């Protein structure tokens, strides 16, 4: 027997691996429900400025994926959606999905009049809270679905009615409520991705205390032209470009007190971000404080390319502490040069903590008892018969590996619905 | 099809404020369009109902929607069986131009004219149905871990699979590996799942296995791969729908290593030879079978070295840690040294590194270790990074060199695919294809899948790792990049997913990635073909074969529908039902070009629909303004640009042409491999012609944009407009 059946697949998570799993299965002829927590698809890759090693824009691949979704009637996308319960067995799962209200319906044309009408702002979730956005907003330039979102804070304010009336198309529905829908599916792909490790837990690094200590994901937003500074890399304290930038690798990773595992992409991500700094600020110096440079496969070429730049220094040593300078507005990094065993103190304008990826299941486990590994990752591609894991919820992966994972999860999910038990 | 056109103009989202809709509707009148209506919110249920009523009652079957971008409201404005064109009056007119301005009005009118021309020139595509029956069977070449995984995955999904393996047994390299390290890494040594996999495949009735077999030839294309398998002198032929290429790797030849690594000295072996030792029963000194008390593993042996393998083979650190644990298991008192440059244990494999340290393995960080014969046993010495001094380890019974992985596709002589024609300045960029005797494709462009850097026939795309340059052929496992077992199992399954998807799409006459679902395909008007071979050479996917006389023989199932062939053909004999040289040419000619005294230049923008067009939309969404002279025509790929369009534009009096497309070169972005590069090469050929015709070559320009460059677009377009105004109006205006 070959060819499509009429059982369906549920993909939980609309990031790179989840979106891929959904699209690949649907293009082979299967019905797929794609459930995403955010109001838009793309997950955390949409929040990257560029991918290594090509230094290419995430929107490029996302545009093709969105187009593939648009032209495929078999993919049913639910945003602002989360799985509340799963029961049943392989071939026959009953899933309850909670849909949170967007307060904007399908009539929205993205004309932007609602945003114009309100003065209320919220921390911009797309920019990791680094700037503010109106409480009626389009999540980002290429949001898909292309539809505005209204934050609950606006609903509770006095401007709610004004904003509703500002919409010429009756697209704002203040009465929307959360509702739960039930889906019957044959198999499930769990692809809920990761969260950046909370850098505030790294108490010797001063994140959250010193504004010029930021994380790698924040640096990505800063470098992006649709970010909080329109792509200008600046010191948060002064708004001026940094003359020197320190990248601290393994910040809270490979560390039994924080994340004992390695997040595999941070070395390359910092090197990529070093190229952002160097391109934008030709006189800037970049230091990368590392333990081991993990540039596997042909990424070695990227490492060599970045290393060639004389203004980028690879310094083997763990940074013990960050504290403010007494003589200037800079930050001092106290670090042991493991090669010479000297303890040095070096001043920097801006410090980027290359923090790791925590699996989302750490904070939000599955709504049914399954096994996890020691670090709360799902332990392998098969969670249990009919439930599969893909992407960074399984292991810290780069974009290409996440897509690979999503693609294989798709065929595993198909297996569950093709073979009836 | 007998067309009855309906034009529907939306005045919502600021369009009605930016232009005069009634005046715009008169353009429809000029063109004798039978039905033309406008609405304040065309995407509303009411608006769509108006269109549906016209379809039912007026027989409208060709619909021009003059409203927002085709990239939005796609589900709302979808009408089965009708030709539908979207004229972008919102993002690319109302939102980027001053409202109520005469130039804004002229822009909207031109776009409507172009939309009407387009629907007049296009037909609905009819899916390609080959004369012979198509197959949904999957061919897997290579019976190692990823090939076995691919075969099982495809079979589990309900497809019949044939697995061809060159050697006598299935299992690939992993056959000779007793224990592996994989998730959960903290367990250290674990059983190798390969024998289970082999058994599952052998017991599977839907998988036909040929061992000691190779592929003698592969003809045809997706859905229609006619494959001849050669086994022990006899041939088997079968038709397949898609192919998974999983032929794996061979170890780097240790005899090629630098002498200072000591290969050739007694008791110096490679990592793969160590595995054979474990599989054969136990670790002992190769020379005299003696006990191994002291052993050193040298990592990156011949890897990360420009004189040998420049890349990192990803798994050698993990494999060496595993091997160190093998030594400790056999002899807990053994002194085990790992001499490394960087310790690469990403993800959860960090647990293995920790475990090795806990078991007492000693780690020496050294960038240039040397192995030599010592007074007793072997000696390893080198500058230790963390100690800051030279370190000497002597009295070693065994030294294991962790050598890298070389893909099987990197062997064989280069089939030069470049063809330089007389008088051509720049040859078309050629693929590197080696005669590696793997698939033996009967393709005019070469017998194997093109390889990229270092011999890997990989996809160049981060977002689409399975997309090789040959449609319907998907790479899996270490042949495409060095990887460990867990990854190889996933990769095989992933390639199988792409393979089954390909057969399903091709059976419906549809294209695969990136134009998945596209039912149009190129048709060749052979009467006017001059056998110049540009289409067969330039097709990025090798989709066009050739007969002895040089006539192109298109293979539609291999085609990605980019239109590069259409752009290349100097006789313009290639067209799609809904995308042709004549269609775009007429659209360009339908632009109203004011005479030079009006001082309103006209600039044609040929925009790649994959990046430049979305970027223009985003600039509009941000209400960024640019000059009103531009007229944008989206193209499937800049590679589909036919030079006649430049001639059409300039002879119509258009003052300048700018191509907006992706960057090319090593880090190319083109979803069709080399579209923008080809467009540039074609442009360079006409510079001379332009200068001779007193048309400054500055009038035609290529600008590199990426999809997120919306913020640069207004500047790019305005600077070009300034340059055009400097040069002055096109002297051919009004001819």
């Amino acid at each position: 027997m070959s060819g499509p059946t009429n059982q369906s697949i549920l993909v939980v998570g609309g990031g790179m691996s989840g979106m891929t799993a959904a699209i690949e299965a649907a293009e082979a002829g299967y019905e797929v429900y794609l459930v995403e927590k955010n109001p838009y698809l793309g997950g955390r890759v949409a929040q990257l400025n560029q991918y290594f090693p090509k230094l290419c824009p995430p929107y490029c691949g996302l545009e093709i994926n969105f187009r593939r979704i648009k032209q495929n009637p078999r993919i049913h996308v639910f945003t602002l959606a989360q799985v509340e319960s799963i029961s049943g067995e392989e071939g026959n799962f009953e899933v309850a999905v909670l849909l949170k209200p967007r307060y904007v319906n399908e009539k929205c044309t993205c004309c932007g009049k609602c945003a114009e009408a309100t003065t209320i702002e919220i921390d911009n979730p797309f920019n990791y809270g680094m700037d503010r956005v109106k409480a009626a907003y389009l999540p980002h330039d290429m949001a898909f679905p292309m539809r505005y979102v209204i934050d609950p804070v606006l609903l509770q304010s006095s401007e709610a009615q004004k904003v509703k009336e500002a919409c010429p198309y009756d697209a704002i529905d203040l009465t929307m409520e959360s509702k739960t829908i039930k889906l019957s599916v044959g198999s499930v792909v769990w692809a809920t991705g990761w969260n950046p490790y909370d850098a505030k837990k790294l108490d010797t690094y001063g994140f959250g205390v010193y504004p010029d200590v930021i994380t790698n994901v924040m640096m990505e937003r800063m470098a992006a032209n649709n970010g909080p500074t329109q792509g200008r890399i600046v010191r948060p304290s002064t708004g001026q470009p940094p003359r020197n930038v320190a990248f601290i690798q393994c910040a809270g990773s490979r560390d039994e007190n924080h994340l004992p595992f390695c997040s595999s992409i941070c070395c390359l991500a910092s090197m990529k971000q070093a190229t952002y700094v160097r391109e934008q600020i030709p006189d800037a110096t970049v230091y990368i404080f590392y333990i081991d440079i993990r540039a596997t496969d042909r990424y070695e070429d990227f490492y060599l390319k970045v290393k060639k730049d004389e203004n980028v220094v690879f310094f083997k040593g763990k940074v013990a502490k960050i504290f403010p300078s007494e003589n200037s507005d800079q930050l001092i990094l106290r670090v042991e040069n493991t090669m010479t065993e000297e303890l040095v103190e070096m001043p920097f304008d801006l410090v980027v903590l290359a923090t790791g990826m925590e699996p989302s299941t750490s904070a939000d486990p599955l709504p049914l008892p399954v096994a996890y590994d020691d670090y709360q990752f799902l332990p392998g591609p098969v969670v249990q018969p009919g439930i599969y894991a893909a992407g960074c919820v399984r292991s810290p992966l780069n974009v290409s590996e996440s897509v690979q994972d999503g693609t294989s999860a798709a065929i595993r999910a198909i297996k569950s619905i093709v073979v009836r038990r | 099809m007998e067309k009855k056109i309906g034009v529907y103009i939306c005045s919502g989202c600021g369009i009605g404020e930016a232009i005069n809709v009634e005046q715009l509707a008169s353009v429809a009148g000029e063109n004798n369009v039978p039905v033309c209506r406008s609405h304040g919110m065309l995407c509303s249920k009411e608006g769509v109902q108006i269109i549906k009523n016209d379809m039912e009652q007026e027989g409208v079957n060709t619909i021009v929607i003059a409203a927002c971008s085709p990239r939005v409201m796609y589900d709302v404005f979808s009408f089965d069986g009708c030709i539908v064109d979207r004229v972008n009056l919102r993002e690319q007119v109302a939102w980027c131009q001053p409202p109520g301005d005469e130039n804004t009005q002229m822009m909207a009118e031109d776009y409507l004219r172009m939309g009407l021309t387009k629907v007049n020139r296009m037909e609905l595509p009819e899916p390609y149905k080959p004369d012979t029956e198509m197959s949904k069977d999957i061919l897997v070449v290579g019976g190692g871990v990823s090939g076995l995984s691919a075969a099982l995955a495809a079979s589990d999904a309900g497809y019949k699979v044939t697995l061809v393996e060159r050697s006598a047994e299935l299992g690939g390299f992993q056959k000779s590996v007793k224990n592996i390290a994989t998730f959960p890494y903290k367990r250290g040594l674990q059983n190798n799942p390969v024998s289970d996999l082999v058994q599952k495949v052998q017991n599977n009735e839907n998988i036909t296995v040929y061992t000691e077999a190779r592929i003698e030839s592969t003809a045809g294309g997706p859905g229609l791969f006619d494959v001849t398998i050669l086994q022990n002198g006899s041939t088997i032929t079968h038709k397949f729908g898609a192919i998974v290429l999983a032929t794996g790797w061979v170890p780097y030849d240790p005899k090629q290593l630098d002498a200072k690594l000591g290969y050739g000295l007694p008791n110096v072996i490679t990592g793969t030879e160590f595995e054979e030792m474990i599989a054969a029963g136990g670790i002992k000194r190769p020379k005299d079978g003696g006990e191994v008390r002291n052993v050193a593993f040298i990592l990156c042996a011949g890897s990360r070295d420009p004189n040998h393998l420049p890349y990192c083979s990803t798994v050698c650190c993990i494999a060496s840690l595993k091997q160190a644990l093998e030594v400790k298991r056999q002899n807990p008192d053994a002194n085990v040294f790992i001499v490394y440059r960087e310790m690469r244990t990403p993800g959860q494999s960090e647990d293995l590194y920790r475990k090795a340290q806990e078991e007492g393995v000693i780690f020496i960080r050294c960038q240039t270790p040397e192995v030599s014969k010592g007074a007793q046993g072997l000696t390893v010495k080198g500058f230790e990074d963390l100690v800051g001094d030279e370190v000497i380890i002597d009295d070693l019974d065994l030294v294991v060199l962790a050598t890298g992985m070389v893909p099987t596709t990197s062997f064989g002589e280069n089939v030069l695919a470049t063809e330089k024609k007389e008088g051509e300045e720049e040859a078309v960029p050629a693929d590197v294809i080696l005669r590696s005797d793997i698939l033996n494709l009967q393709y005019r462009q070469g017998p194997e899948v093109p390889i990229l850097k270092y011999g890997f026939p990989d996809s160049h795309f981060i977002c689409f790792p399975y997309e090789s340059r040959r449609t319907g052929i998907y790479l899996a496992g270490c042949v495409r990049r060095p990887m460990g077992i867990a990854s190889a199992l996933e990769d095989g399954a992933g390639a199988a997913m792409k393979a089954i998807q390909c057969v399903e799409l091709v059976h419906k006459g549809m294209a695969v990635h990136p134009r998945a679902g596209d039912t149009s395909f190129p048709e060749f008007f052979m009467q006017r073909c001059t056998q110049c071979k540009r289409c067969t050479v330039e097709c990025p996917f090798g989709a066009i074969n050739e007969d002895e006389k040089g006539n192109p023989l298109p293979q539609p199932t291999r085609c990605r529908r980019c239109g590069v062939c259409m752009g290349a053909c100097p006789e313009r004999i290639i067209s799609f039902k809904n995308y042709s040289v004549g269609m775009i040419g007429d659209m360009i000619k339908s632009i109203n070009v004011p005479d030079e005294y009006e001082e309103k230049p006209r600039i044609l923008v040929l925009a790649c629909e994959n990046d430049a067009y979305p970027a223009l939309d985003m600039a509009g969404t941000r209400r960024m303004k640019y000059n009103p002279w531009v007229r944008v025509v989206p193209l499937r790929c800049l590679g589909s640009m036919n030079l006649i369009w430049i001639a059409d534009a300039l002879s119509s009096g258009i003052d300048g042409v700018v191509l907006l497309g992706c960057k090319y070169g090593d880090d190319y972005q083109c979803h069709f491999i080399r579209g923008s590069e080809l467009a540039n090469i074609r442009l360079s050929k006409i510079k001379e012609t332009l200068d001779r015709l007193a048309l400054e070559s500055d009038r035609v320009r290529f600008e590199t944009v990426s999809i997120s460059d919306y913020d640069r677009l207004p500047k790019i377009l305005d600077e070009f407009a300034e340059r055009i105004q400097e040069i002055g109006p096109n002297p051919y205006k009004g001819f």
Side-chain angles (χ1 to χ4, degrees):
Chain A
M1 172 204 6
S2 71
T5 67
N6 54 16
Q7 268 275 46
S8 53
I9 298 171
L10 170 68
V11 177
V12 185
M16 206 57 175
S17 56
M19 203 171 42
T20 297
I23 295 172
E24 302 298 350
E27 275 179 7
Y30 297 90
E31 293 289 322
V32 182
Y33 297 104
L34 180 54
V35 165
E36 163 58 42
K37 181 180 70 169
N38 281 334
Y40 57 93
L41 296 184
R44 292 194 190 273
V45 301
Q47 291 171 288
L48 296 178
N49 176 36
Q50 290 174 343
Y51 292 152
F52 57 75
K54 289 168 67 177
L55 302 178
C56 51
Y59 277 175
C60 174
L62 287 174
E63 171 73 11
I64 298 290
N65 278 334
F66 294 157
R67 192 188 304 167
R68 291 164 81 191
I69 294 176
K70 287 178 198 177
Q71 71 86 35
N72 197 323
R74 285 184 211 88
I75 306 180
H76 312 278
V77 178
F78 296 95
T79 50
L80 287 166
Q82 281 174 278
V83 171
E84 285 199 302
S85 69
I86 300 179
S87 60
E89 50 169 22
E90 182 177 25
N92 206 357
F93 289 107
E94 287 293 310
V95 182
V97 178
L98 174 68
L99 302 176
K100 291 209 179 122
R102 188 186 281 252
Y103 305 109
V104 175
N105 61 32
E106 72 287 348
K107 298 181 196 164
C108 174
T109 65
C110 289
C111 69
K113 291 246 180 302
C114 52
E116 275 172 48
T118 184
T119 58
I120 298 179
E121 294 186 331
I122 55 169
D123 283 341
N124 189 346
F126 193 75
N127 286 336
Y128 290 102
M130 290 166 83
D131 67 346
R132 307 272 281 169
V133 78
K134 294 283 183 80
Y137 64 105
L138 186 67
H140 67 100
D141 289 280
M142 224 169 81
F144 181 83
M146 191 77 160
R147 192 176 296 178
Y148 269 61
V149 188
I150 294 189
D151 190 275
V153 78
L154 179 53
L155 243 87
Q156 290 137 27
S157 76
S158 56
E159 294 190 0
Q161 195 55 31
K162 176 170 86 149
V163 169
K164 176 172 164 60
E165 283 159 17
C167 175
Y169 307 116
D170 193 29
I172 297 183
D173 181 356
L174 301 173
T175 66
M176 258 192 209
E177 280 175 0
S178 291
K179 65 176 184 181
T180 302
I181 58 168
K182 295 263 167 48
L183 297 171
S184 294
V185 299
S187 53
V188 179
V189 174
W190 201 268
T192 51
W194 59 284
N195 293 315
Y197 186 67
D198 182 3
K200 289 201 209 72
K201 293 185 182 167
L202 309 171
D203 23 66
T204 58
Y205 287 164
F207 178 75
V209 177
Y210 312 124
D212 293 335
V213 177
I214 62 174
T215 60
N216 45 12
V217 294
M218 291 165 72
M219 171 57 123
E220 243 356 89
R221 291 316 306 141
M222 201 160 46
N225 62 354
N226 60 357
T229 58
Q230 293 78 52
R232 288 180 59 238
I233 296 171
V234 296
R235 308 179 67 199
S237 63
T238 60
Q240 293 307 305
R243 293 155 301 179
N244 41 55
V245 183
F247 288 87
I248 302 182
Q249 297 316 106
C250 307
S253 291
R254 301 180 68 186
D255 184 339
E256 304 212 287
N257 302 316
H258 298 281
L259 301 179
F261 57 90
C262 158
S263 284
S264 89
I265 53 95
C266 336
C267 282
L268 288 158
S270 292
M271 286 189 259
K272 171 189 64 160
Q273 293 178 344
T275 66
Y276 299 163
V277 175
R278 295 287 303 122
E279 204 195 318
Q280 217 181 90
I281 313 164
D283 292 331
T285 349
V286 170
Y287 271 69
I288 298 183
F289 295 96
Y290 73 97
I291 305 176
D292 291 286
I293 292 293
R294 293 182 166 178
T296 57
D297 188 12
R298 286 146 294 172
Y299 296 123
E300 182 72 22
D301 287 341
F302 185 65
Y303 172 35
L304 291 175
K305 175 173 117 167
V306 174
K307 218 158 75 139
K308 271 208 190 88
D309 183 341
E310 286 169 355
N311 281 30
V312 179
V313 178
F314 285 84
F315 189 111
K316 180 153 168 66
K318 193 121 208 262
V319 172
K321 193 176 158 79
I322 300 176
F323 51 93
S325 162
E326 285 172 3
N327 331 328
S328 71
D329 65 351
Q330 289 181 302
L331 292 163
I332 307 288
L333 270 55
R334 182 178 295 150
V335 54
E336 187 202 355
N337 181 335
T338 19
M339 309 253 240
T340 63
E341 281 181 17
E342 296 169 70
L343 202 56
V344 292
E345 292 194 349
M346 303 171 71
F348 283 95
D349 282 348
L350 180 65
V351 179
V352 182
L353 304 177
T355 44
M357 303 156 99
E358 239 185 321
S360 63
T361 34
S362 227
D364 293 307
L366 274 74
L368 77 171
V370 300
Y372 300 90
D373 77 0
D374 289 347
Y375 312 118
Q376 290 303 113
F377 286 99
L378 288 171
V382 182
V383 178
Q384 68 179 54
I387 302 186
Y388 305 100
C392 295
V393 76
R394 180 180 84 66
S395 184
L397 299 174
N398 62 39
V399 176
S400 181
E401 291 166 337
S402 297
V403 176
Q404 174 190 317
D405 233 41
T407 315
S408 65
I411 200 170
R412 289 180 193 277
I414 288 170
K415 167 188 170 169
S416 287
I417 63 184
V418 160
V419 179
R420 302 286 214 279
R421 304 265 154 207
Chain B
M1 128 181 175
E2 176 88 28
K3 293 177 193 169
K4 184 154 188 192
I5 302 177
V7 170
Y8 301 91
I9 305 171
C10 183
S11 56
C13 291
I15 296 173
E17 287 81 22
I19 58 163
N20 181 319
V21 169
E22 265 175 44
Q23 206 182 312
L24 180 63
S26 66
V27 167
E30 281 162 26
N31 287 277
N32 299 317
V33 169
V35 176
C36 178
R37 304 192 203 283
S38 69
H39 191 275
M41 185 185 171
L42 197 60
C43 56
S44 63
K45 281 206 180 67
E46 203 188 77
V48 172
Q49 194 55 46
I50 292 177
I51 301 173
K52 289 196 170 138
N53 291 342
D54 282 347
M55 282 166 66
E56 223 178 298
Q57 291 152 24
E58 304 284 335
V60 164
N61 58 16
T62 301
I63 299 165
V64 176
I65 309 265
C68 45
S69 167
R71 293 169 62 250
V72 296
M73 298 297 176
Y74 47 89
D75 45 348
V76 167
F77 296 127
S78 125
F79 306 100
D80 280 338
C82 294
I83 290 175
V84 180
D85 184 47
R86 301 283 300 273
V87 169
N88 190 337
L89 293 185
R90 190 182 74 163
E91 285 86 334
Q92 295 190 19
V93 180
W95 285 1
C96 61
Q97 299 299 322
D101 189 290
E102 155 186 70
N103 290 316
T104 309
Q105 185 73 25
M106 292 175 94
M107 188 186 255
E109 290 176 8
D110 273 341
Y111 278 134
L112 184 53
R113 287 187 191 102
M114 287 156 76
L116 287 169
T117 306
K118 180 172 174 187
V119 299
N120 272 314
R121 289 296 308 248
M122 67 183 267
E123 295 300 329
L124 282 177
E126 281 158 33
Y128 173 70
K129 283 247 169 316
D131 296 327
T132 52
E133 211 190 306
M134 291 198 269
S135 165
K136 286 192 181 185
D137 295 350
I138 310 292
L139 171 65
V140 178
V141 184
V145 164
S146 48
L148 294 167
S149 177
L152 286 168
S155 157
D156 285 344
Y159 295 78
K160 286 209 163 349
V161 182
T162 297
L163 178 60
V164 174
E165 163 57 41
R166 190 165 289 216
S167 72
E169 285 170 41
L170 295 176
F173 175 77
Q174 288 300 315
K175 271 195 320 285
S176 39
V177 177
K178 181 146 188 265
N179 300 309
I180 62 165
T182 190
F183 296 83
Y185 285 93
K186 64 179 180 183
R187 284 213 197 125
L189 299 164
Q190 301 182 55
N191 288 329
N192 196 329
V194 69
S195 38
D196 263 353
L197 276 178
V198 168
Q199 241 192 355
K200 280 206 181 95
V201 165
Q202 285 169 335
N203 296 340
N204 188 314
E205 341 172 290
N206 284 322
I207 305 178
T208 308
V209 178
Y210 295 100
T211 48
E212 284 184 292
R214 39 178 281 274
I215 307 289
E216 191 174 64
S217 92
T218 307
L224 302 162
F225 283 115
D226 283 318
V227 178
T228 304
I229 300 165
L230 183 63
Q231 183 190 44
N232 292 329
S234 51
T235 56
I236 304 115
T237 53
H238 192 85
K239 188 179 285 186
F240 293 100
I243 300 174
V244 172
L245 202 166
T247 52
W249 59 286
V250 294
Y252 184 68
D253 181 4
K255 295 194 221 57
Q256 305 287 324
L257 292 169
D258 286 345
K260 69 176 192 197
L261 286 173
Y263 189 77
L265 293 175
N267 301 322
V268 177
I269 61 173
T270 63
T272 47
E273 289 165 347
F274 182 93
E275 290 301 337
E276 285 162 19
M277 227 201 291
I278 297 276
I283 309 162
K284 35 188 183 231
R285 278 204 302 261
K287 179 143 190 231
D288 59 4
E291 194 199 346
V292 167
R293 299 151 302 133
N294 306 320
V295 57
F297 290 85
I298 314 284
L299 270 43
C300 300
S303 291
R304 300 180 61 200
D305 185 337
N307 299 320
H308 300 277
L309 298 181
Y311 54 92
C312 157
S313 284
T314 310
V315 296
C316 337
C317 283
I318 294 173
S320 299
L321 287 167
K322 176 199 72 170
Q323 291 173 345
L325 293 176
E326 293 274 18
V327 178
K328 284 288 191 180
R329 172 187 271 189
Q330 183 176 298
N331 179 359
D333 294 325
N335 293 308
V336 183
F337 301 89
I338 288 194
V339 182
Y340 72 99
R341 292 174 55 189
E342 308 287 330
M343 183 49 66
R344 293 180 166 178
T345 49
Q348 291 102 319
S349 72
E350 186 74 21
D351 284 348
L352 190 68
Y353 181 27
R354 202 171 293 119
K355 186 176 175 68
Q357 290 173 77
E358 283 163 9
E359 303 230 348
V361 173
I362 300 162
F363 289 85
I364 312 275
R365 193 174 198 268
C366 170
Q367 302 302 315
T368 50
E370 286 177 28
V371 180
S372 55
K373 200 159 182 199
Q376 269 177 290
L378 295 158
T379 300
V380 170
K381 72 167 192 247
F383 182 88
E384 213 284 1
D385 292 335
L386 309 180
V387 157
D389 203 351
E390 193 180 64
V391 152
I392 301 173
I393 318 168
D394 50 22
D395 196 15
L396 289 162
D397 298 297
L398 182 65
V399 169
V400 184
L401 305 174
T403 50
M405 301 159 98
V406 179
T408 49
T409 43
S410 61
F411 299 95
E413 70 184 40
N414 190 338
V415 172
L416 286 171
T418 323
E419 278 191 9
K420 243 183 154 75
K421 292 197 60 74
E422 264 182 44
E424 260 183 40
E425 281 158 19
E426 238 177 286
V428 162
D431 276 332
V432 178
I433 298 179
L434 303 181
R435 285 193 204 284
S436 45
D437 188 27
I438 296 178
L439 288 176
N440 292 305
L441 297 169
Q442 303 302 304
Y443 283 27
R444 174 247 183 268
Q445 292 76 12
E448 299 297 337
V449 176
I451 54 166
L452 303 186
K453 230 173 175 186
Y454 310 132
F456 293 98
D458 205 357
S459 162
H460 179 70
F461 302 111
I462 294 167
C463 304
F464 309 107
Y466 293 105
E467 295 304 330
S468 75
R469 291 184 183 185
R470 293 294 178 258
T471 311
I473 302 175
Y474 302 99
L475 289 316
C478 296
V479 75
R480 105 172 161 79
R481 66 175 173 83
M483 58 174 75
I485 289 194
S487 205
L489 289 168
E490 291 318 288
D491 215 34
M497 177 71 240
K498 296 300 291 183
I500 72 174
Q501 180 194 88
C502 176
V503 305
E504 291 301 327
L505 286 170
V506 133
H507 266 70
K508 299 196 193 91
M510 292 178 170
V512 295
H513 175 95
R515 294 187 60 87
D518 189 348
T519 49
S520 73
F521 62 91
E523 292 170 290
F524 290 61
F525 187 68
M526 290 307 297
Q527 274 103 309
R528 289 207 341 257
C529 174
T530 60
Q531 296 84 34
C532 74
K533 303 190 196 177
R534 294 229 180 113
C535 57
T536 53
V537 168
E538 293 189 19
C539 173
F541 306 102
I544 309 175
N545 276 353
E546 217 172 80
D547 69 13
E548 332 69 60
K549 301 207 187 79
N551 288 305
L553 303 169
Q555 311 290 309
T557 62
R558 291 190 215 160
C559 176
R560 308 275 185 112
R561 288 41 170 196
C562 56
V564 162
C565 53
M566 181 177 101
C569 180
E571 297 300 317
R572 305 184 293 281
I573 72 164
I574 305 174
S575 63
F576 297 76
K577 286 222 166 16
N578 57 2
Y579 186 59
S580 67
V581 177
M583 179 181 106
I584 304 286
D586 283 355
M587 283 166 72
I588 294 170
K589 289 181 233 172
S590 68
I591 296 170
N592 176 39
V593 180
D595 70 40
E596 58 190 283
Y597 303 106
E598 296 205 35
E599 293 187 359
K600 291 181 193 293
R602 287 291 177 262
I603 293 170
L604 174 66
V605 177
L606 296 175
C608 169
E609 72 179 21
N610 305 304
D611 57 11
Y613 194 92
L616 284 164
D617 270 358
M618 284 188 264
T621 310
R622 281 189 174 240
R623 312 299 194 277
M624 300 179 86
K625 307 277 184 266
Y626 42 90
N627 70 78
W629 319 130
V630 301
R631 301 292 182 264
V632 177
V633 172
L635 299 182
R636 292 185 180 190
C637 175
L638 278 194
S640 67
M641 178 200 68
N642 194 295
L643 286 176
I644 197 78
W645 297 337
I646 312 286
D648 287 339
L650 295 172
S651 62
S652 314
I654 289 173
D655 303 278
V657 181
V658 60
L659 273 58
L660 295 180
C662 56
K663 82 173 175 198
Y664 53 92
D666 282 342
D667 283 335
Y668 69 85
Q669 280 303 97
C670 184
H671 293 285
F672 302 104
I673 318 299
R674 57 174 75 104
S676 58
E677 190 173 7
L678 288 170
N680 252 287
I681 292 174
R682 289 179 206 148
L683 275 192
S684 66
K685 292 188 203 155
I686 63 166
K687 292 256 176 226
E688 211 192 285
T689 314
L690 288 174
D691 286 332
R692 262 192 286 122
L693 292 170
L695 283 163
E696 300 79 349
S697 56
D698 266 6
R699 288 190 191 276
V700 181
R701 189 194 287 190
F702 172 85
E703 288 283 351
T704 307
V705 294
S706 84
I707 192 172
S708 45
D709 278 345
Y710 57 81
D711 51 344
R712 289 178 50 223
L713 275 173
K715 191 162 178 226
I716 291 174
L717 295 173
D718 288 346
E719 272 178 8
F720 187 65
E722 270 169 41
R723 179 70 192 125
I724 293 298
Q725 283 172 302
E726 253 172 56
I727 304 174
N730 181 340
Y732 293 99
K733 249 191 237 285
F735 266 75

